[in-house]
Amino acid sequence: MVNEIASTMVDELIAAPGGSRLSAIRRVVELMSSAAELVVTLHRRIKDAELVDRTDLSPLVLHPADVDDLATPTGYEDNCLYVLAARGALPEGDQLYRELVDLGAGAAITEISTEGFFAVQRMNNRQAAERMCRSLLSRLPAATVMAVEPLVFGGPLESFKTVEGLLRLAFMFDLGPGLYQISDFPVEFAVATTAPVREKLLAMIQPVMAKAELRRTLELLVFSQGNRTRAAERLNIHRSTIDYRLNQIDKLTGHSPVTTGGLNMLTLSLAVRTLMA
C-alpha cells in the first residue's frame, strides 16, 4: 500500500509538470501523510504485540515511477523512508512544514508539539538523509537535538521508538545539540538488541528505578559524567547525602557508581532501559 501511494505521488507530479507547484506539493504531502499514518499504525501494532525477538529489519523501500528496472538491487538504506525526530525550541508548525518541504518533497510530519516533532521523508540513501537533517538543523534554533534512521519493519527497536531513544540518550549523556544516529551509540544498541544481556541488565537496575530518589541520583550522576560534586549541586543535596544514595545503589545492584567499572555498567544499564522505555 505504501509503495502504491509513493508511486501515485510520483506519477501525479510527472503527469502535471505545468500545474501549480503549491498544489503538487500539497498533494505530495497528503499522499505521504497517508503513508505515514499507515506506518505509525503498523508500528503501534508491532509494539503492542511485543515482537521483541523478531529479526525482520528490511527497510520500507519506495520505488519511484521513473525507474525502468524495479528489480535492480539497491542498498539496505537506499531509496527508502527515513524517520527523523527533533527536540528543542522549534518554530511554529507551518514554518517547520515549509522548511521540510523546501529541503525535500514528500515530507510528512506525523507528530508535532512545542517540544519536538516526528516526520517521515523519502531519501535516496543515508548520506542524503544526513545532509538534509544538517541543513534543517542550520535553519532551526541552535539548541535543537535531532535523530534520523531508516524506517524499518520488525526488529526489537522499531523506527519511531529508535529515533526517540536516540534523543533520550543524547540528553542522558549531555551530548549537546546536533544530529545523532545509531552509529553514535553502537554498544548501547548492540546490548539492547541482545536479549539475554538486555534482560540481565534491566533486572539488575530495576531496584534502583523503583526508588525515585535513587533513580534521579543515578541519572544526574551519568549526566554529570560521574562527577559527584556536580551531581549533588544539581540535586541540591549535600555531598554526604549523595554518597549515601550511591552506596545504596551499590548494595542494590552490586556495582559501585564511584568506580569506573561500576559506573560504566550502571550507565549501560540505564541506557538500555532508556532505549526500551
Side-chain angles (χ1 to χ4, degrees), residues 61-113:
V61 178
L62 300 180
H63 296 293
D66 56 350
V67 174
D68 294 330
D69 183 9
L70 295 182
T72 301
T74 59
Y76 171 79
E77 299 169 337
D78 294 340
N79 193 34
C80 67
L81 288 176
Y82 279 76
V83 180
L84 57 145
R87 285 187 187 176
L90 301 174
E92 295 295 327
D94 288 346
Q95 180 182 344
L96 181 60
Y97 164 78
R98 287 193 296 270
E99 299 287 5
L100 282 167
V101 170
D102 185 49
L103 288 169
I109 298 176
T110 63
E111 182 180 338
I112 187 169
S113 69

Side-chain angles (χ1 to χ4, degrees), residues 113-127:
S113 69
T114 55
E115 298 180 351
F117 74 90
F118 285 93
V120 178
Q121 190 152 9
R122 194 185 81 180
M123 285 291 159
N124 291 333
N125 50 48
R126 181 176 286 275
Q127 290 70 34

Side-chain angles (χ1 to χ4, degrees), residues 15-257:
S20 167
R21 178 175 175 79
L22 180 58
S23 297
I25 290 174
R26 289 189 183 281
R27 181 59 176 157
V28 165
V29 173
E30 287 175 3
L31 291 168
M32 289 300 292
S33 294
S34 298
E37 289 175 5
L38 171 64
V39 166
V40 173
T41 300
L42 289 174
H43 276 273
R44 283 175 179 167
R45 290 179 180 175
I46 290 171
K47 182 178 180 181
D48 291 342
E50 297 183 352
L51 300 178
V52 295
D53 294 321
R54 185 170 176 178
T55 57
D56 176 15
L57 296 176
S58 57
L60 180 60
V61 178
L62 300 180
H63 296 293
D66 56 350
V67 174
D68 294 330
D69 183 9
L70 295 182
T72 301
T74 59
Y76 171 79
E77 299 169 337
D78 294 340
N79 193 34
C80 67
L81 288 176
Y82 279 76
V83 180
L84 57 145
R87 285 187 187 176
L90 301 174
E92 295 295 327
D94 288 346
Q95 180 182 344
L96 181 60
Y97 164 78
R98 287 193 296 270
E99 299 287 5
L100 282 167
V101 170
D102 185 49
L103 288 169
I109 298 176
T110 63
E111 182 180 338
I112 187 169
S113 69
T114 55
E115 298 180 351
F117 74 90
F118 285 93
V120 178
Q121 190 152 9
R122 194 185 81 180
M123 285 291 159
N124 291 333
N125 50 48
R126 181 176 286 275
Q127 290 70 34
E130 290 178 4
R131 287 195 299 272
M132 188 276 289
C133 287
R134 296 192 188 283
S135 296
L136 181 58
L137 275 172
S138 69
R139 303 181 182 198
L140 298 177
T144 302
V145 177
M146 186 175 292
V148 63
E149 283 296 327
L151 194 156
V152 297
F153 286 111
L157 297 174
E158 52 272 47
S159 305
F160 285 88
K161 186 176 177 180
T162 297
V163 292
E164 188 175 21
L166 286 168
L167 295 181
R168 289 199 300 265
L169 286 180
F171 282 105
M172 176 183 136
F173 289 114
D174 191 24
L175 298 181
L179 176 64
Y180 298 97
Q181 301 170 74
I182 288 179
S183 57
D184 294 307
F185 305 98
V187 175
E188 290 80 3
F189 275 89
V191 172
T193 55
T194 306
V197 180
R198 177 186 69 230
E199 297 308 319
K200 185 175 182 179
L201 291 178
L202 291 175
M204 181 265 287
I205 204 171
Q206 179 53 35
V208 176
M209 297 296 102
K211 298 180 180 293
E213 66 177 24
L214 295 184
R215 173 183 58 78
R216 187 60 179 159
T217 298
L218 179 59
E219 289 174 346
L220 283 179
L221 183 69
V222 171
F223 187 83
S224 302
Q225 300 178 353
N227 189 310
R228 284 177 284 172
T229 300
R230 193 181 310 157
E233 290 174 352
R234 285 172 169 163
L235 287 164
N236 195 27
I237 60 176
H238 193 272
R239 174 64 181 267
S240 61
T241 303
I242 194 173
D243 287 342
Y244 171 78
R245 293 182 184 179
L246 296 180
N247 185 54
Q248 292 298 109
I249 292 174
D250 185 359
K251 290 180 179 179
L252 289 171
T253 64
H255 297 279
S256 173

